[in-house]
Amino acid sequence: MTAQLEVAQSRQRCAQCGRELTERDASPSCPACGGLLELVHEATISAQELRSRFAARSPLSRGMESSGVWRYRELVLPSAMPDEIVSHPEGNTPLLERQAISKWTGVSALLLKHEGHNPTGSFKDRGMTVGVTQARRIGATAVACASTGNTSASLAAYAAHAGLRALVFVPAGQVALGKLTQTLAYGATTLLVRGDFDQCLALARQAAAELGVYLVNSINPFRIEGQKTIALELLQQLEWNAPDWIVLPAGNLGNTAAVGKAVEEAHAVGLIARKPRIAAVQATGAAPFARAFATGFRERASVRAETVATAIRIGAPASWDRAVHVIRSTNGVVTHVSDDDILEAKAVVDAAGVGCEPASAASVAGVRRLVREGIIGRDDSVVAVLTGHVLKDPGTLVRYHQETEPRPTHANRPLEIEPSMGEVQRVLG
Ligand code: F0G
């Protein structure tokens, strides 16, 4: 254990009624009103000191400090001790600049924060290292989640590492092959529920309450603390000069909530001088939050979700109130993009040699839409988050390239040939 580690306990607070709980309370939501909980840390360290501590920790550091989540431990979970932490390690993802993608969106200075570089291939690992660490700290023996696939893959990997039993609820027939494969490979008990994600989440909440299993969906405030580090890491990569915009795909809204909380806290402690605006992008067939934004969030809508981007095929987002707060406090926007636009954006990202899964491409398609509408300026600095790896959803990729008619501009079909040089010359024209 390093001598300078603080042991200050954080508190959990209900965002709705303000009730406070101790850091180790295992309630999945506020026992008084059912509202979502959030973590509150004591802010005792100056921005300058934080910056120099973060800079001193790197992927080459030893132990937890090599993690792109625990590097920011003062703002994540200061009291977690090194021997409690379950880390693969995660984070340390690149910030990429690719001209072809910038050009397609219309933004000259577009950067892509590629979260597909995490251990299980999605941003979920950032929240999961903290969620499973907390599960271990409170003595849980089993952990559970509902998922569209990435959370379950991540939970399975972290639970296996921690030696905890994992129980996952996923919508039958709606989980991309790569994600289901990972979840099974890492040994989670996998329930294919004949229903949608929203029904899976309701069932997972009930099962957690009745079976005494620790729930690590993004309603869990510890998951949110880990996911905040997408923003903290990209801000550090930009030397704490905030971009004009951070653009995210949005489904259950946990990530919008987390990135927004990070931005607010980084601004409050003085790590950044101004807050980036947050743009949340939904798929048109799963856009209750975008619809509500268009009416000033007067109503909380839910829809029957349908989209090719199965990761964000969610009709009743759980982190709704948290995300409304974030959009308001960052002067943010919410938009939606069609499946065709998502697949075209994905093909552009893939063809640049970067690659991502369909839901991730929603952020890039969203940038283009917001530029065309004059909301994002062509000279604004923009970071779009690519949330998952290209291999997560091979089925959609193969269908798009091989079966879509009329043939999309970016389609890259394999050419099957007889084993002769004549055939090679024939197909190469
Ligand atoms: N992108 C990907 C690749 C995702 O897997 C998810 C969510 C999102 C974006 C949206 O994030 O839900 O916090 O708004 N996947 C969850 C899951 C629901 O179960 O893996 P969100």
Side-chain angles (χ1 to χ4, degrees), residues 122-124 146-152 179 197 217-218 227 249-256 311-312 314 357 359-360 387-388:
S122 88
F123 72 103
K124 301 291 180 181
S147 179
T148 55
N150 279 324
T151 301
S152 58
K179 306 173 190 181
F197 170 81
N217 268 99
S218 59
Q227 270 174 227
N252 214 21
L253 300 176
N255 206 27
T256 305
I312 51 174
I314 293 171
E357 69 163 284
S360 311
T387 44

Side-chain angles (χ1 to χ4, degrees), residues 275-290:
K275 291 194 261 185
R277 297 176 72 183
I278 291 180
V281 186
Q282 297 205 289
T284 302
F289 195 56

Side-chain angles (χ1 to χ4, degrees), residues 165-191:
R165 178 154 189 209
L167 175 62
V168 314
F169 299 78
V170 295
Q174 293 294 334
V175 179
L177 185 62
K179 306 173 190 181
L180 188 58
T181 308
Q182 289 179 292
T183 307
L184 294 170
Y186 301 137
T189 301
T190 305
L191 305 181

Side-chain angles (χ1 to χ4, degrees), residues 74-143:
E74 287 83 353
L75 303 180
V76 169
L77 191 56
S79 66
M81 290 294 130
D83 58 358
E84 296 174 320
I85 287 172
V86 184
S87 169
H88 268 300
E90 46 292 309
N92 298 311
T93 62
L95 203 50
L96 308 172
E97 194 172 357
R98 293 290 183 276
Q99 251 182 18
I101 306 172
S102 292
K103 198 166 157 226
W104 186 80
T105 59
V107 169
S108 49
L110 177 71
L111 293 170
L112 302 159
K113 179 72 172 155
H114 204 329
E115 290 293 302
H117 289 243
N118 272 291
T120 75
S122 88
F123 72 103
K124 301 291 180 181
D125 295 339
R126 292 184 182 266
M128 205 53 77
T129 179
V130 186
V132 172
T133 292
Q134 185 65 8
R136 185 140 105 178
R137 297 174 91 209
I138 63 165
T141 52
V143 283

Side-chain angles (χ1 to χ4, degrees), residues 7-330:
V7 287
Q9 298 283 309
S10 305
R11 290 168 286 132
Q12 300 186 69
R13 186 173 60 198
C14 172
Q16 210 156 293
C17 73
R19 173 151 174 186
E20 294 208 343
L21 307 177
T22 62
E23 185 183 284
R24 295 203 183 225
D25 194 306
S27 306
S29 53
C30 174
C33 76
L36 294 183
L37 299 168
E38 61 183 13
L39 272 168
V40 186
H41 309 298
E42 293 302 332
T44 51
I45 307 168
S46 71
Q48 198 185 359
E49 171 65 16
L50 283 174
R51 278 200 205 110
S52 71
R53 288 190 193 184
F54 299 158
R57 303 167 185 161
S58 86
L60 300 179
S61 301
R62 292 179 71 105
M64 72 169 175
E65 293 185 353
S66 67
S67 159
V69 170
W70 297 102
R71 178 183 313 134
Y72 307 101
R73 53 179 295 276
E74 287 83 353
L75 303 180
V76 169
L77 191 56
S79 66
M81 290 294 130
D83 58 358
E84 296 174 320
I85 287 172
V86 184
S87 169
H88 268 300
E90 46 292 309
N92 298 311
T93 62
L95 203 50
L96 308 172
E97 194 172 357
R98 293 290 183 276
Q99 251 182 18
I101 306 172
S102 292
K103 198 166 157 226
W104 186 80
T105 59
V107 169
S108 49
L110 177 71
L111 293 170
L112 302 159
K113 179 72 172 155
H114 204 329
E115 290 293 302
H117 289 243
N118 272 291
T120 75
S122 88
F123 72 103
K124 301 291 180 181
D125 295 339
R126 292 184 182 266
M128 205 53 77
T129 179
V130 186
V132 172
T133 292
Q134 185 65 8
R136 185 140 105 178
R137 297 174 91 209
I138 63 165
T141 52
V143 283
C145 74
S147 179
T148 55
N150 279 324
T151 301
S152 58
S154 184
L155 173 63
Y158 281 82
H161 186 13
L164 297 173
R165 178 154 189 209
L167 175 62
V168 314
F169 299 78
V170 295
Q174 293 294 334
V175 179
L177 185 62
K179 306 173 190 181
L180 188 58
T181 308
Q182 289 179 292
T183 307
L184 294 170
Y186 301 137
T189 301
T190 305
L191 305 181
L192 301 177
V193 180
R194 294 187 201 106
D196 61 14
F197 170 81
D198 304 299
Q199 291 169 305
C200 289
L201 182 54
L203 196 56
R205 289 177 98 149
Q206 206 181 335
E210 289 179 21
L211 307 176
V213 176
Y214 189 60
L215 191 65
V216 284
N217 268 99
S218 59
I219 55 172
N220 180 312
F222 295 88
R223 284 274 316 280
I224 298 288
E225 291 308 296
Q227 270 174 227
K228 286 189 329 195
T229 63
I230 298 177
L232 297 174
E233 192 174 88
L234 78 84
L235 291 168
Q236 187 186 11
Q237 284 166 312
L238 295 173
E239 295 172 348
W240 306 105
N241 296 308
D244 295 315
W245 292 92
I246 298 177
V247 185
L248 305 163
N252 214 21
L253 300 176
N255 206 27
T256 305
V259 168
K261 188 170 191 274
V263 159
E264 283 184 30
E265 292 173 356
H267 186 249
V269 300
L271 282 170
I272 50 174
R274 63 179 181 120
K275 291 194 261 185
R277 297 176 72 183
I278 291 180
V281 186
Q282 297 205 289
T284 302
F289 195 56
R291 263 196 223 176
F293 172 74
T295 64
F297 293 124
R298 271 199 294 278
E299 278 171 33
R300 180 172 178 155
S302 64
V303 302
R304 227 187 136 74
E306 194 49 81
T307 168
V308 68
T310 50
I312 51 174
R313 191 174 178 273
I314 293 171
S319 285
W320 186 280
D321 293 336
R322 290 170 172 162
V324 170
H325 170 77
V326 162
I327 296 300
R328 288 191 171 135
S329 79
T330 64

